[in-house]
């Protein structure tokens, strides 16, 4: 039983929603329909205004052993925010203030419910930069930290983990704790911040984050490099990195997907040649440096069979390319049962693509691939035909096994959530699993926070 009356006393009547037709938007996330978990029947959505209310909700839930599902922007792709047991969806949407952009320390202090879109505007207004860019700007600061989001711009500056310097967290037992601060170095005690990053909502509710910012780049350019075949394109990626050129992003994609996506968003994909393409974003301190590196980069690509190199220099041309790339998932969605997120060591990226091709050939179904090639992170998109033929699970398993064989992992950025729990045991030995369960028990003795997610 969910104690609705007690919840109303904590947050006020207006912020507890019980009617099913008013909470449907909170019962799913952006997970592909072939694997989206079924939500529970009795779910209440609660919208607290501050950490103190969250603390009171968690104390109550802990006493009454009611499951609680923290919810950010609901843009997750592994069903982590879906309430699969009767309980409370705890929405962070009212914690929506940027507290401070500290230009001197180059840090932003933000409440957890601030969206990426809102945060990027504040950072831009302060003439600073937050490089990570997961594809949906509706993601919230707390969600991005809880998922350690990656995205297109991680090659040079890393994923969200590299930016988190401080957190305010409400523990499942109700205590409000402050971790870290505006510090670039902090070797004091065990690093709990990094335990919370990528905890997918199972260890605590993040209410505030202090994130590092960068000065804006002096000059940027976006190149779309076209190749006739996917292996030639992807095999070029390690060559670029080995030459000492570290772009902000190296994305792998396929021309037909980009054209289809461009139509979906009423735009035109500018690169007309080849079949497989790399989108390379270069960001340097000045134009001389930028053009020098772009020239070197072009030579490497030409030596590796590139058939065309398009260079976008204006801000709007570059933004259009990134926009189309960000929309690929949405455009493809109706045709896709699930999209994977395998990551391998950077030099093994061509081999994992070969393995994906083998699976595709074995089942006679094409697997379109996009991904963050510079990070060794690919997203093979599994068409509904796999599900219709009854081979989706098996085909996914074969791709996962190939990734692990190459020293990789089954998720580079989307996480385990609920949809990848069946593969959890293939990723960790029993001792690591025992340690993870022990940590969970220490934070959350009654297993109220996001049960059935991230670890098992
Ligand atoms: C079109 C599209 C493109 C995407 N591209 C990328 C990409 O390139 N890279 C990438 O990494 N991801 C990508 N994603 C996935 C998603 O945007 C990220 O995982 C994002 O970090 C999720 O944030 P959210 O606020 O939407 O979290 P939600 O989906 O609401 O929640 C995700 C998990 O975080 C937990 N959580 C949320 N807020 C909190 C909080 N305050 N405290 C504790 N736990 C919390 C939830 O309980 C849940 O377990 C994409 C998604 C879409 C739809």
């Amino acid at each position: 039983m969910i104690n609705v009356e007690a919840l109303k006393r904590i947050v006020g009547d207006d912020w507890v929603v019980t009617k099913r037709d008013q909470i449907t938007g909170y019962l799913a996330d952006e997970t592909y329909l072939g694997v989206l978990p079924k939500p529970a029947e009795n779910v209440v959505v609660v919208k607290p205004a501050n950490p103190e209310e969250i603390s009171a909700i968690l104390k109550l839930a802990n006493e009454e052993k009611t499951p609680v599902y923290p919810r950010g922007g609901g843009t997750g792709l592994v069903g982590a925010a879906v309430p699969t047991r009767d309980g409370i969806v705890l929405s962070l949407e009212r914690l929506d203030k940027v507290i401070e952009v500290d230009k001197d320390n180059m840090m932003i202090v933000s409440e957890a419910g601030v969206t990426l879109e809102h945060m990027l505007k504040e950072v831009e207004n302060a003439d600073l930069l937050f490089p990570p860019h997961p594809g949906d700007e509706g993601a919230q600061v707390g969600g991005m930290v809880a998922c350690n989001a990656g995205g297109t711009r991680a090659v040079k500056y890393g994923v969200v983990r590299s930016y988190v310097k401080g957190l305010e967290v409400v523990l499942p037992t109700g205590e409000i704790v402050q971790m870290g601060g505006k510090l670039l170095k902090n070797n004091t005690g065990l690093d709990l911040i990094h335990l919370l990053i990528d905890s997918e909502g199972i260890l605590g509710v993040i209410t505030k984050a202090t994130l590092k910012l960068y000065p804006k780049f002096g000059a940027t350019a976006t190149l779309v490099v076209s190749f006739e075949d996917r292996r030639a394109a992807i095999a070029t990626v390690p060559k670029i990195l080995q030459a000492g050129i570290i772009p902000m992003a190296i994305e792998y994609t396929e021309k037909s997907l980009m054209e289809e996506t461009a139509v979906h968003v009423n735009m035109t994909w500018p690169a007309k040649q080849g079949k497989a393409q790399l989108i390379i974003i270069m960001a340097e301190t000045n134009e001389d440096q930028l053009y020098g590196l772009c020239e070197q980069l072009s030579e490497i690509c030409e030596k590796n069979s590139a058939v065309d190199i398009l260079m976008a220099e204006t801000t709007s041309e570059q933004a259009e390319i990134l926009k189309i790339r960000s929309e690929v998932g949405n455009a493809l969605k109706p045709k896709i049962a699930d999209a994977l997120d395998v990551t391998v060591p950077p030099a093994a990226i061509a081999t994992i693509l070969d393995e994906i091709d083998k699976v595709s050939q074995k089942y006679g179904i094409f697997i379109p691939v996009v991904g963050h090639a510079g990070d060794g992170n690919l997203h093979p998109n599994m068409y509904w035909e796999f599900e219709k033929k009854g081979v989706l699970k098996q085909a996914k398993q074969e791709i996962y096994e190939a990734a692990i064989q190459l020293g990789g992992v089954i998720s580079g950025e989307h996480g385990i959530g609920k949809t990848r729990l069946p593969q959890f045991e293939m990723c960790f030995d029993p001792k690591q699993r025992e340690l993870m369960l022990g940590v969970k028990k220490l934070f959350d003795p009654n297993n109220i926070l996001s049960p059935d997610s991230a670890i098992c």
Side-chain angles (χ1 to χ4, degrees):
M1 277 290 284
I2 305 163
N3 194 339
V4 173
E5 289 314 310
L7 290 171
K8 284 183 176 170
R9 282 195 293 279
I10 296 169
V11 296
D13 291 5
D14 290 351
W15 305 110
V16 179
V17 193
T18 54
K19 290 206 176 102
R20 192 77 173 181
D21 61 342
Q22 291 171 6
I23 63 168
T24 45
Y26 295 87
L27 301 177
D29 59 7
E30 291 296 328
T31 301
Y32 290 83
L33 291 181
V35 287
L36 181 66
K38 190 173 174 302
E41 284 302 319
N42 293 312
V43 174
V44 171
V45 176
V46 183
K47 303 179 182 181
N50 52 51
E52 290 71 27
E53 289 183 1
I54 293 174
S55 163
I57 294 165
L58 290 177
K59 274 185 190 149
L60 174 77
N62 192 42
E63 266 167 38
E64 303 194 342
K65 301 196 174 43
T66 308
V68 177
Y69 295 88
R71 186 178 179 92
T75 68
L77 295 169
V78 287
V82 179
T84 40
R85 296 189 193 184
D86 290 351
I88 300 165
V89 169
L90 193 152
S91 171
L92 276 297
E93 67 199 80
R94 289 175 69 210
L95 277 75
D96 61 355
K97 282 160 214 70
V98 168
I99 295 163
E100 180 192 9
V101 180
D102 178 344
K103 287 185 82 160
D104 293 340
N105 285 307
M106 292 201 290
M107 303 255 179
I108 183 167
V109 184
S110 171
E111 289 188 335
V114 169
T115 61
L116 175 61
E117 184 184 14
H118 176 179
M119 186 188 117
L120 290 177
K121 274 190 192 134
E122 297 275 348
V123 171
E124 169 80 30
N125 289 345
D127 224 18
L128 288 167
L129 182 83
F130 179 71
H133 194 269
D136 190 326
E137 291 187 3
Q140 295 180 358
V141 166
M144 290 192 298
V145 175
C147 297
N148 186 26
T152 45
R153 303 187 197 160
V155 186
K156 195 170 193 166
Y157 292 99
V159 295
V160 164
R161 185 182 294 281
S162 321
Y163 296 80
V164 185
K165 299 300 166 194
L167 288 181
E168 178 183 78
V169 178
V170 187
L171 300 179
T173 37
E175 298 89 344
I176 303 174
V177 293
Q178 311 288 337
M179 302 171 179
K182 294 177 184 171
L183 301 167
L184 295 177
K185 283 183 155 182
N186 180 355
N187 272 1
T188 319
L190 289 183
D191 198 336
L192 297 178
I193 292 180
H194 282 271
L195 208 47
L196 262 296
I197 299 168
D198 192 29
S199 63
E200 297 190 68
I202 68 166
L203 298 182
V205 177
I206 296 158
T207 47
K208 202 195 308 176
T210 301
L211 305 170
K212 184 175 164 36
L213 303 173
Y214 276 89
K216 270 191 187 163
F217 301 110
T220 63
T222 299
L223 290 88
V224 182
V225 186
S226 302
F227 298 81
E228 280 306 338
D229 73 278
R230 15 161 79 176
R231 196 177 205 287
I234 210 98
T236 306
V237 175
K239 306 256 168 59
I240 296 169
L241 299 173
Q242 286 154 13
I245 302 172
I246 312 292
M248 183 150 80
I250 310 181
E251 294 289 292
Y252 169 80
T253 186
E254 283 153 17
K255 190 179 75 161
S256 59
L257 292 181
M258 301 311 280
E259 287 173 342
E260 192 179 331
T261 307
V263 171
H264 180 79
V265 289
N266 265 329
M267 295 167 90
T268 307
W269 181 241
K272 308 289 179 207
Q273 294 189 43
K275 291 193 184 84
Q277 298 178 327
L278 297 177
I279 302 170
I280 304 175
I281 305 179
M282 297 294 295
E284 302 301 326
T285 38
N286 58 51
E287 288 195 347
D288 286 350
Q289 215 174 18
L290 176 78
Y291 292 126
L293 283 172
C294 285
E295 223 174 278
Q296 226 183 311
L297 182 69
S298 302
E299 279 167 24
I300 295 170
C301 292
E302 276 160 6
K303 262 193 210 147
N304 286 277
S305 328
V307 293
D308 185 50
I309 300 174
L310 177 149
M311 183 160 157
E313 290 175 61
T314 67
T315 314
S316 66
E317 282 169 348
Q318 295 189 61
E320 275 176 27
I321 290 170
L322 186 60
K323 165 84 181 152
I324 298 173
R325 166 63 191 93
S326 296
E327 288 289 336
V328 171
N330 287 333
L332 269 185
K333 204 156 190 183
K335 297 183 189 172
I336 301 298
D338 193 11
L340 314 190
D341 180 33
V342 285
T343 300
V344 294
I349 189 97
T351 316
I352 188 66
L353 192 65
D354 289 344
E355 295 298 323
I356 295 166
D357 279 343
K358 278 186 208 159
V359 174
S360 164
Q361 278 153 22
K362 176 174 171 186
Y363 295 103
I365 306 169
F366 181 60
I367 303 177
V369 176
V370 289
H372 314 302
D375 310 323
N377 179 202
L378 292 182
H379 302 310
N381 289 280
M382 310 303 285
Y383 280 134
W384 275 107
E385 279 152 274
F386 280 99
E387 177 69 9
K388 283 182 197 143
K389 281 192 176 176
V391 294
L392 179 62
K393 257 191 199 161
Q394 182 56 28
K396 287 196 318 189
Q397 185 70 15
E398 287 168 20
I399 295 174
Y400 287 148
E401 278 167 11
I404 290 174
Q405 199 73 41
L406 290 167
V409 289
I410 66 167
S411 174
E413 54 177 20
H414 298 158
I416 298 293
K418 298 185 177 71
T419 65
R420 297 196 180 111
L421 265 192
Q423 284 78 37
F424 189 80
E425 281 175 24
M426 70 191 280
C427 306
F428 299 105
D429 60 48
K431 187 66 201 174
Q432 290 188 69
R433 195 171 159 233
E434 183 193 320
L435 288 170
M436 288 187 205
L437 290 171
V439 170
K440 167 70 172 164
K441 185 108 186 133
L442 200 59
F443 274 78
D444 185 10
N446 291 317
N447 191 27
I448 59 153
L449 207 55
S450 277
D452 311 324
S453 265
I455 57 171
C456 64

